């Protein structure tokens, strides 16, 4: 299925056209039919000759209902722009087009209706000129008259060509269903509808609902009036929700894949349109089907910080638009650059931030986020829309910052050892505090030989070992390949016999998997993090490849992890990680 939104000035024949194409009535309300005018969004659908289903979101053209129009086009990336042959380009033709452009809509076509009333040529030429100057670029155009039926077949073919050229939808992406309608059905309870732009939905799915403090469950699904077991984007969908009051789920709320969006009330954006300095201090942000008042703090020439009156589920790269309702003016589009921006309290922080924003373009960028944030939770990155990669560690750090923390940790441990020679190391919690870190797990992750972690304390555990032994152990390993255990003859070469290896093991410098298979301390923990990132369960050979090692190492390593209870061996010899790394 594909979903298109109509656009165009009042009375230019949008609804008449949708009615002619679908045989359905998009004007759902008696008042709309009495006044011959669309007030709110209408929904209708049809199947083309080739079997493709098209759903239409029919919007009102009257100036007073522009907010309803925006709720309709916000979640729909394809437009059918309608202009009447006898009236030509009019103010809401321009305003609707400005809105599509602000949202960065790239796909659409022009339909010149009421072609029986006047020569459609001039209206078509002007509309094509206006559209060509926007994100839609050069579009196909068809002249029709639903009254005489002229041009409708040609329009169906043009619609078929348009949707055949649309990019494939991201069906594996998280769901963000912007709600455009909610109602109750006797016996079934609350139903919400929306345009599913990405991902898929199934009955039984648990979702977050913006504005609600508990997750909700999908009780049933309909698409185009029929109950279905699954809906894949793009699609119109009606979702029956369990245990949700209709009044809690109006237009502008959204149903979300859990853990994949930040509900934010503070965003940094790039504005495409009016200069930021000309924006009013308060303006309306339209995103998806939502409209919220925002306070604008200009930062650069085309960047600003927006404080939202109500939080919205936004991600880096989202497009939205700013409209001044008082002046009936679309001020421009915005690209979301940051959904968890830093505070600007320090002197000069705003200017520095403005400079930083010039380098950001709304493309999620892992290295850039790590550099700017230094230390960030994996889950938080995912919610922002940044792929944290395969490493399953709960925190990610900027490499330079991490190296610096390692040095500071070693210095603190050294200082403590000098001051308290009889104490065995420093408590992890004390180090967490000294380094100003948010989580003890970070201190533990920073510990690497020669430092050791024992019973909640970090010590320079090798101080009791002869320096030559520490040096020999150091040269037995390759820093970049923690799972490459040195061969037995290499150990002999380095003078590392049973006694030496025993001492190094006791000092916490190495882990001994078998008599001669040794790994650096911390390697098993690192292995668990990598293994937790594999599809579960995994085979020995998958583990070996993921760790970049050999069977000689991976077999005893997995047994070591089994006996520590962090992995479990299944009857078919595959394994699962049972205790995810903390
Ligand atoms: N002669 C003629 N009249 C048409 C044609 N298409 C629409 N109309 C008439 O134009 C008027 C407006 O049509 P609608 O379809 O309601 O226009 P609309 O764009 O949906 O209007 P809003 O939703 O209120 O913005 C109606 O009286 C229609 O009967 C056409 O091709 N030829
Ligand atoms: Mg209409």
């Amino acid at each position: 299925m594909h979903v298109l939104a109509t656009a165009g000035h009042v009375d230019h024949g949008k609804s008449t056209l949708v009615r002619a194409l679908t045989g359905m009535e998009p004007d759902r309300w008696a008042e709309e039919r009495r006044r011959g005018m669309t007030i709110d969004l209408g929904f209708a659908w049809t199947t083309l000759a080739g079997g493709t289903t098209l759903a239409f979101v029919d919007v009102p053209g009257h100036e007073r209902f522009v907010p309803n129009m925006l709720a309709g086009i916000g979640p729909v990336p394809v437009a059918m722009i309608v202009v009447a042959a006898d009236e030509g380009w009019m103010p809401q033709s321009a305003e609707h087009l400005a809105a599509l452009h602000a949202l960065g809509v790239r796909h659409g076509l022009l339909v010149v209706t009421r072609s029986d009333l006047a020569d459609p040529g001039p209206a078509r030429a002007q509309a094509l000129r206006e559209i060509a100057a926007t994100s839609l670029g050069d579009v196909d155009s068809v002249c029709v008259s639903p009254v005489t039926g002229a041009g409708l077949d040609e329009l169906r073919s043009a619609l078929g060509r348009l949707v055949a050229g649309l990019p494939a939808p991201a069906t594996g992406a998280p769901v963000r269903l912007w709600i455009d309608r909610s109602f109750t059905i006797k016996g079934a309870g609350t139903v919400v509808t929306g345009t599913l732009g990405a991902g898929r939905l199934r009955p039984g799915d648990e979702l977050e609902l913006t504005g609600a403090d508990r997750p909700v469950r999908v009780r049933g699904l309909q698409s185009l009036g029929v109950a279905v077991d699954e809906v894949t984007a793009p699609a119109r969908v009606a979702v029956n929700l369990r245990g949700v009051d209709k009044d809690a789920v109006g237009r502008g709320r959204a149903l979300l894949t859990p853990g994949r969006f930040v509900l934010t009330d503070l965003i940094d954006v790039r504005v495409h349109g009016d200069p930021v300095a000309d924006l009013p201090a308060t303006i309306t942000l339209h995103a998806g089907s939502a409209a919220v008042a925002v306070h604008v703090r200009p930062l650069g020439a085309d960047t600003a910080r927006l404080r939202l009156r109500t939080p919205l589920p936004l991600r880096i790269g989202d497009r939205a638009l700013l409209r001044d309702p008082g002046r009936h003016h679309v001020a421009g589009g915005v690209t979301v650059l940051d959904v968890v921006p830093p505070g600007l309290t320090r002197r000069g922080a705003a200017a520095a931030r403005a400079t930083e924003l010039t380098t950001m373009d709304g493309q999620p960028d892992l290295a850039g986020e790590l550099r700017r944030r230094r230390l960030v939770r994996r889950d938080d990155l995912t919610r922002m829309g940044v792929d944290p990669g395969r490493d399953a560690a709960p925190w990610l750090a900027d490499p330079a910052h991490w190296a610096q923390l390692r040095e500071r940790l070693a210095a603190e441990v050294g200082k403590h050892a000098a001051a308290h020679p009889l104490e065995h190391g420093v408590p992890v919690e004390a180090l967490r505090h000294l380094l100003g870190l948010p989580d003890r797990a970070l201190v533990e992750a920073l510990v690497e030989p020669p430092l050791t972690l024992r019973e909640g304390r970090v010590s320079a555990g090798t101080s009791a070992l002869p320096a030559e032994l520490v040096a020999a152990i150091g040269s037995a390993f390759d820093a970049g390949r923690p799972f490459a255990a040195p061969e037995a003859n290499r150990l002999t070469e380095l003078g590392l016999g049973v006694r030496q290896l025993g001492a190094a093991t006791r000092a916490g410098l190495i882990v001994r998997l078998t008599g001669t298979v040794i790994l650096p301390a911390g390697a098993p923990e690192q292995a668990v993090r990598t293994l937790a990132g594999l599809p579960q369960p995994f085979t020995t050979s998958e583990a070996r490849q993921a760790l970049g090692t050999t069977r000689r190492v991976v077999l005893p390593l997995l047994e070591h992890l089994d006996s520590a209870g962090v992995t479990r061996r299944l009857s078919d010899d595959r394994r699962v990680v049972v205790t995810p790394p903390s």
Side-chain angles (χ1 to χ4, degrees), residues 14-15 27 38 58-59:
K14 298 180 292 298
S15 302
D27 287 332
T38 305
D58 183 37
V59 309

Side-chain angles (χ1 to χ4, degrees), residues 9-16 36-38 59-62 114 116-117 145-147:
H9 196 73
V10 62
D11 263 357
H12 276 198
K14 298 180 292 298
S15 302
T16 304
M37 175 193 272
T38 305
V59 309
H62 193 282
R114 312 209 320 196
D116 56 303
L117 297 180
S145 167
V147 171

Side-chain angles (χ1 to χ4, degrees), residues 128-419:
L128 286 177
R129 259 199 319 277
E130 301 285 348
I131 297 168
T134 68
S135 56
L136 284 137
D138 291 322
V139 296
D140 209 351
S141 63
V142 186
C143 301
V144 304
S145 167
V147 171
T148 65
L152 289 177
D153 285 340
E154 202 192 321
L155 174 56
R156 285 197 183 87
S157 315
L159 286 167
R161 285 194 302 276
L162 172 67
V163 299
L166 296 176
T171 51
V175 166
R176 177 175 51 183
L177 184 74
W178 291 103
I179 295 169
D180 48 34
R181 205 154 73 95
S182 65
F183 49 90
T184 30
I185 289 183
K186 226 175 150 199
T190 301
V191 176
V192 299
T193 68
T195 303
L196 187 68
R200 59 182 75 223
L201 280 173
R202 293 191 188 96
D205 282 353
E206 191 176 272
L207 299 169
E208 290 172 4
L209 169 64
T210 59
D213 45 16
R214 285 179 294 129
V216 296
R217 197 171 287 283
V218 176
R219 186 170 172 186
L221 280 181
Q222 285 200 358
S223 190
L224 310 184
V226 183
V228 287
D229 295 338
E230 181 176 73
V231 180
T232 310
R236 284 296 304 170
V237 52
V239 186
N240 183 196
L241 295 174
R242 198 182 290 276
V244 181
D245 186 37
K246 170 183 166 292
D247 298 324
V249 286
R251 177 170 296 171
R253 296 290 184 85
L255 289 172
L256 310 168
T257 299
R260 301 300 297 272
F261 294 89
V262 183
L263 261 177
T264 178
D265 62 0
L266 193 69
I267 56 177
D268 284 352
V269 299
R270 169 155 299 115
V271 179
H272 318 270
D274 293 358
V276 164
D278 295 350
L279 293 176
T282 305
I283 194 164
T284 307
L285 177 77
H286 294 263
S289 65
V292 302
V294 297
H295 177 264
V296 181
R297 173 169 184 181
L299 289 173
D302 67 347
T303 53
R305 174 157 296 188
L306 305 181
R307 165 78 63 189
L308 284 58
R309 195 162 292 165
T310 340
L312 289 180
L314 296 172
R315 304 179 103 192
I316 294 171
D318 275 340
R319 291 293 294 246
L321 74 79
L322 295 173
R323 180 171 180 268
D324 185 345
R327 286 168 57 218
H328 280 274
H329 170 64
V330 174
V334 302
T335 298
V336 175
L337 302 178
D338 196 341
V339 290
V340 189
L344 297 178
T345 43
R346 273 181 304 106
R347 237 180 111 80
R353 181 63 176 166
T355 308
E356 193 167 67
L357 290 176
T358 60
T359 65
M360 293 161 66
D361 62 1
Q363 289 290 325
D365 159 28
L366 179 60
E369 291 301 331
L370 294 182
R371 199 170 54 245
R372 285 187 288 274
R373 296 175 196 280
R374 307 212 294 181
L375 203 55
V376 58
R377 276 181 198 279
R378 180 190 169 81
D379 292 351
D380 290 343
L381 279 174
T382 305
R383 283 177 178 272
M384 292 174 208
V386 180
D387 181 357
R390 287 191 59 161
D391 188 345
W395 289 90
L396 280 84
D398 173 48
H401 181 59
W402 192 249
Q404 215 178 28
L405 285 171
R406 275 225 154 103
E407 279 174 24
R408 284 179 51 204
L409 180 78
E412 293 294 350
V413 172
K415 215 160 78 185
H416 188 273

